[in-house]
């Protein structure tokens, strides 16, 4: 499932517990105010991409990228011109880490985004630090460690923002929702919004905040979004276009974005990467089978039976000969 606004720079999200989704919706609200503010002339457009199936090797993002980067796609040039792709993972707990494929070089979009985050954190919450965690993409492993790696292999500058320091951190691979700290989510969303605002406005003055007055995150809206997502079934295998969670996200984004497109993808029937089951209730059949030792005994019994039959067949001529000779002796 996808939601997007026609823009150039890209923001994408996957999360555990709904914190990343809630942050993206709030970012759309805040940045729409920034772009509509009198005298505000940001130098970049922003593309919001909200995807599902994050636990399934980011299947939705990969499919979307393959279609948009196709030669006949009108959006291929738009994506190829994107300066930076920011993927938002779980941001509902303390600690912010920007995961990238390699340490950003000075002057590159990744370096400018990192500096924007550092400036925003030091300006808004001086006790908060953001760490860069470089990790090369393992092309030999079909499973991606982070969301941004999908864009990195397409030669796009990208990074994933997460409160997890490593992709192997216990809890990140958990399929169940984790408790989100509303206060921490508010703080992290504020930092992300300020950093993106500084990047698109090309402001480097550390004493000036881009988002001021009414352009600040709402703790109530974030908490309500997280609460709704946590109480709603949103498994990728069960989501449909008419699902309530799809309607909710569509309505929320339409309030702040001029163009929202909902797209659903189906797994390939010929060579699916994952097998989807769309039934919420199924019958489970359990069979009681004999142990492996039983097969061994059965094989021995079969061979013994076949051996006995073979010996009987081999002995028939001898038995018949003996019977014939005994009758011959009696008659003589």
């Amino acid at each position: 499932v996808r939601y997007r606004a026609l823009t150039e720079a890209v923001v994408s999200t996957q999360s555990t517990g709904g914190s990343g989704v809630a942050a993206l919706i709030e970012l759309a609200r805040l940045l729409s105010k920034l772009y509509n503010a009198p005298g505000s002339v940001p130098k970049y457009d922003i593309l919001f991409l909200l995807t599902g199936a994050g636990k399934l090797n980011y299947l939705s993002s990969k499919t979307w990228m393959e279609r948009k980067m196709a030669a006949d796609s009108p959006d291929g040039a738009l994506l190829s011109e994107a300066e930076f792709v920011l993927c938002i993972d779980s941001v509902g707990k303390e600690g912010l880490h920007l995961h990238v494929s390699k340490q950003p070089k000075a002057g590159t979009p990744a370096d400018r985004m990192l500096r924007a985050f550092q400036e925003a954190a030091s300006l808004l919450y001086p006790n908060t630090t953001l760490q860069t965690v470089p990790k090369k993409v393992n092309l030999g492993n079909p499973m991606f460690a982070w969301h941004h790696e999908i864009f990195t292999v397409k030669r796009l500058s990208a990074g994933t923002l997460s409160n997890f320091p490593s992709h192997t951190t216990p809890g990140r691979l958990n399929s169940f929702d984790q408790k989100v700290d509303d206060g921490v989510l508010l703080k992290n969303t504020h930092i992300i919004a300020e950093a993106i605002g500084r990047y698109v406005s090309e402001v480097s003055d550390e004493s000036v905040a881009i988002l001021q007055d009414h352009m600040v995150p709402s703790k109530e809206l974030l908490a309500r979004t997280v609460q709704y997502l946590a109480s709603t079934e949103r498994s990728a295998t069960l989501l449909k276009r008419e699902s309530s969670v799809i309607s909710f996200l569509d309505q929320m984004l339409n309030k702040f974005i001029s163009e929202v497109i909902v797209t659903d993808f189906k797994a390939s029937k010929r060579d699916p990467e994952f097998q989807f089951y769309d039934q919420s209730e199924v019958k489970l059949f359990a069979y009681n089978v004999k142990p492996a030792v039983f097969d061994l005994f059965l094989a021995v019994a079969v061979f013994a039976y076949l051996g006995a039959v073979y010996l009987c067949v081999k002995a028939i001529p001898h038995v018949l000969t003996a019977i014939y000779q005994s009758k011959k002796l009696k008659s003589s």
Side-chain angles (χ1 to χ4, degrees):
V1 182
R2 307 290 185 274
Y3 311 84
R4 72 184 186 89
L6 189 59
T7 47
E8 293 177 5
V10 181
V11 178
S12 175
T13 181
Q14 294 282 358
S15 67
T16 299
S19 59
V21 177
L24 184 138
I25 294 176
E26 188 66 1
L27 288 175
R29 185 182 73 86
L30 296 176
L31 293 176
S32 66
K33 291 185 176 182
L34 174 63
Y35 276 65
N36 294 326
S40 175
V41 187
K43 300 181 181 298
Y44 295 89
D45 293 329
I46 302 177
L47 171 73
F48 293 94
L49 173 65
L50 179 57
T51 66
K55 299 297 184 180
L56 301 177
N57 201 25
Y58 307 105
L59 182 60
S60 296
S61 296
K62 289 193 297 182
T63 306
W64 183 83
M65 279 290 294
E66 291 171 358
R67 293 191 180 186
K68 295 302 179 183
M69 297 296 285
D72 57 347
S73 174
D75 296 332
L78 177 68
L79 289 176
S80 62
E81 294 175 358
E83 279 199 4
F84 191 78
V85 182
L86 177 63
C87 303
I88 306 177
D89 193 74
S90 299
V91 290
K93 293 184 178 181
E94 287 290 353
L96 280 179
H97 305 82
L98 182 62
H99 299 271
V100 291
S101 59
K102 59 182 179 180
Q103 192 66 33
K105 295 182 179 180
T108 61
D111 177 64
R112 288 191 285 115
M113 179 60 74
L114 174 60
R115 285 191 286 107
F117 270 109
Q118 293 173 339
E119 293 168 0
S122 62
L123 177 64
L124 301 175
Y125 304 93
N127 295 329
T128 300
T129 58
L130 184 138
Q131 299 179 356
T132 306
V133 185
K135 177 190 173 300
K136 292 184 178 180
V137 180
N138 185 3
L139 299 178
N141 188 353
M143 302 297 290
F144 290 103
W146 293 102
H147 194 183
H148 72 272
E149 295 182 354
I150 296 173
F151 302 94
T152 300
V153 296
K154 296 295 184 180
R155 300 185 182 281
L156 294 175
S157 180
T160 299
L161 193 67
S162 174
N163 53 239
F164 292 107
S166 171
H167 68 284
T168 59
T169 302
R172 183 176 183 272
L173 302 179
N174 194 340
S175 298
F176 298 98
D177 284 337
Q178 300 178 16
K179 183 175 178 57
V180 175
D181 189 322
D182 296 339
V184 176
L185 177 58
L186 174 68
K187 178 184 69 173
N188 291 339
T189 303
H190 196 181
I191 293 175
I192 298 171
E194 176 66 24
I196 295 177
R198 302 179 74 83
Y199 186 96
V200 298
S201 302
E202 295 187 344
V203 173
S204 58
D205 189 347
E206 298 184 11
S207 62
V208 177
I210 300 298
L211 303 181
Q212 299 179 358
D213 301 329
H214 63 288
M215 290 187 291
V216 293
S218 169
K219 184 176 181 179
E220 181 182 358
L221 292 177
L222 288 169
R224 285 169 54 188
T225 303
V226 170
Q227 182 180 7
Y228 173 80
L229 294 174
S231 60
T232 306
E233 186 181 70
R234 60 185 194 279
S235 171
T237 59
L238 301 177
L239 281 181
K240 297 180 180 179
R241 183 181 287 268
E242 61 273 14
S243 299
S244 60
V245 65
I246 302 299
S247 300
F248 169 78
L249 296 174
D250 188 18
Q251 293 173 5
M252 291 295 292
L253 288 174
N254 266 302
K255 295 179 180 178
F256 318 118
I257 297 177
S258 58
E259 181 184 2
V260 178
I261 299 177
V262 182
T263 307
D264 54 342
F265 298 129
K266 295 183 179 180
S268 174
K269 294 183 178 179
R270 292 186 177 182
D271 186 24
E273 184 174 349
F274 293 93
Q275 183 65 47
F276 289 94
Y277 299 92
D278 56 0
Q279 293 178 297
S280 58
E281 295 183 4
V282 295
K283 291 183 179 180
L284 179 65
F285 297 92
Y287 298 92
N288 185 17
V289 298
K290 299 295 183 180
V293 179
F294 175 79
D295 294 336
L296 178 61
F297 283 117
L298 181 61
V300 172
V302 170
F303 279 114
Y305 171 76
L306 295 176
V309 173
Y310 174 77
L311 293 176
C312 290
V313 172
K314 293 287 289 184
I316 289 177
H318 300 285
V319 173
L320 293 177
T321 301
I323 294 174
Y324 175 77
Q325 289 178 354
S326 63
K327 287 184 177 181
K328 187 177 180 181
L329 290 174
K330 288 180 181 180
S331 62
S332 60

